[in-house]
Amino acid sequence: MALFKLRDGAELHYEVHGRGPALFLVAGLGGDGRWWGDNVSELAKNFTVIVHDHRGTARSSLSRIDYSVGQMADDALQLIEGLGYEKVHWCGHSTGGAMGQVLAVEHPDRIDRLVLSATWAKTDAFFRRLFEVRSLMLRELGPSAYLKSSALALNSPAWVRDHDAALVAAETKALETIPVPEIVLSRIAAIVAHDRREQLQKVTARTLAICARDDTVTPLYFTEELVRLIPGARAYVLPDGGHAYPNVHGAEFRRVMTAFLLES
């Protein structure tokens, strides 16, 4: 683990694991690279896996700025360049997938193959309303209530049933997880504003879009739209697992992605 200094002086916490083709694993709105869990060590058997904490989250600088998906993508691009990679595979989950779209459109020479996990091209009324409620929970009721409501949105009922103790433990550490609520609110506004629908036909990277059929944060129709808009893109849909399916069905997620990244 190390810290990378951005142009404006902020720092990104990052880790590099394994050997092989470079693969950036980029987390969602929570921004914490630890979200990927065992997927990192398992994927590191075939790839050089780079994970980082987004600015404003976890162990990176808690910068009080106006966040945007473009800014998040630029932070990651600086890290790619700073680590000396000409081109990388990119697997972005949710917000990380929105960042991947920005890079694939604006810096196509930097993205080799693109995996878009549970993400969207442009938000709609459902997405906007969902995140209005999540923002309201954080503003009015605080971090613990925000995490309680988020757990119900992000995870399948069966997962919540089986991980109640872990969720209780996370909620008791809510103030550590969300030390600056204003940053989370700014990041939510950033993802709601994300719209690359009109530029996705410019994507030249070979693209795979993965999701779970029962995802209630980024429903299946978002993935179907990405596949329609990105030339040559294809989809893989798991039957269940919710928005956090990579941690529910990690082996299947890794199998499908590894096959895609290594195919000739």
Side-chain angles (χ1 to χ4, degrees):
M1 60 184 66
L3 292 173
F4 174 78
K5 184 161 286 191
L6 298 165
R7 285 189 297 265
D8 64 0
E11 293 180 322
L12 294 183
H13 179 279
Y14 73 95
E15 300 178 8
V16 180
H17 301 267
R19 295 181 63 183
L23 168 62
F24 263 64
L25 272 185
V26 186
L29 179 63
D32 190 331
R34 290 169 291 193
W35 180 84
W36 292 103
D38 293 339
N39 288 308
V40 175
S41 59
E42 290 297 319
L43 288 167
K45 295 174 182 177
N46 292 293
F47 304 97
T48 300
V49 178
I50 303 96
V51 292
H52 77 284
D53 298 344
H54 301 194
R55 185 206 299 241
T57 75
R59 297 156 293 179
S60 291
S61 294
L62 301 180
S63 304
R64 296 173 184 258
I65 61 173
D66 288 330
Y67 286 84
S68 71
V69 174
Q71 161 268 315
M72 298 175 203
D74 183 69
D75 283 355
L77 178 62
Q78 290 181 56
L79 180 58
I80 291 171
E81 294 174 340
L83 294 179
Y85 296 114
E86 290 294 323
K87 181 176 282 195
V88 301
H89 296 317
W90 179 283
C91 174
H93 182 77
S94 198
T95 299
M99 295 159 63
Q101 294 167 49
V102 173
L103 293 177
V105 169
E106 297 185 357
H107 301 278
D109 56 319
R110 292 291 188 179
I111 303 299
D112 191 347
R113 297 190 185 184
L114 178 64
V115 179
L116 299 175
S117 173
T119 190
W120 68 97
K122 180 181 180 178
T123 53
D124 64 359
F126 169 79
F127 190 101
R128 173 178 52 79
R129 286 176 173 272
L130 172 65
F131 281 90
E132 283 177 351
V133 170
R134 292 181 69 185
S135 296
L136 187 65
M137 294 287 284
L138 181 55
R139 279 197 307 269
E140 300 297 328
L141 299 178
S144 181
Y146 172 81
L147 291 178
K148 280 181 178 290
S149 65
S150 297
L152 298 177
L154 300 174
N155 301 295
S156 66
W159 191 93
V160 173
R161 176 197 66 201
D162 297 337
H163 294 83
D164 185 58
L167 290 173
V168 169
E171 289 151 13
T172 61
K173 295 183 177 180
L175 293 178
E176 295 176 26
T177 305
I178 307 176
V180 188
E182 303 96 282
I183 291 177
V184 178
L185 293 170
S186 181
R187 285 172 55 81
I188 288 175
I191 66 170
V192 171
H194 172 70
D195 178 6
R196 289 286 163 159
R197 184 180 284 166
E198 299 305 319
Q199 293 89 44
L200 288 180
Q201 76 277 4
K202 299 178 182 178
V203 173
T204 57
R206 193 180 299 188
T207 303
L208 173 67
I210 312 178
C211 69
R213 190 172 296 276
D214 63 347
D215 188 339
T216 57
V217 175
T218 51
L220 174 61
Y221 61 78
F222 281 136
T223 292
E224 293 173 336
E225 180 177 56
L226 287 166
V227 172
R228 286 196 305 269
L229 294 175
I230 298 173
R234 60 185 191 259
Y236 186 85
V237 181
L238 285 87
D240 56 42
H243 191 62
Y245 79 87
N247 290 324
V248 178
H249 298 301
E252 182 68 358
F253 164 69
R254 295 189 299 271
R255 182 192 69 79
V256 171
M257 183 168 68
T258 298
F260 168 71
L261 295 179
L262 295 182
E263 71 184 9
S264 58

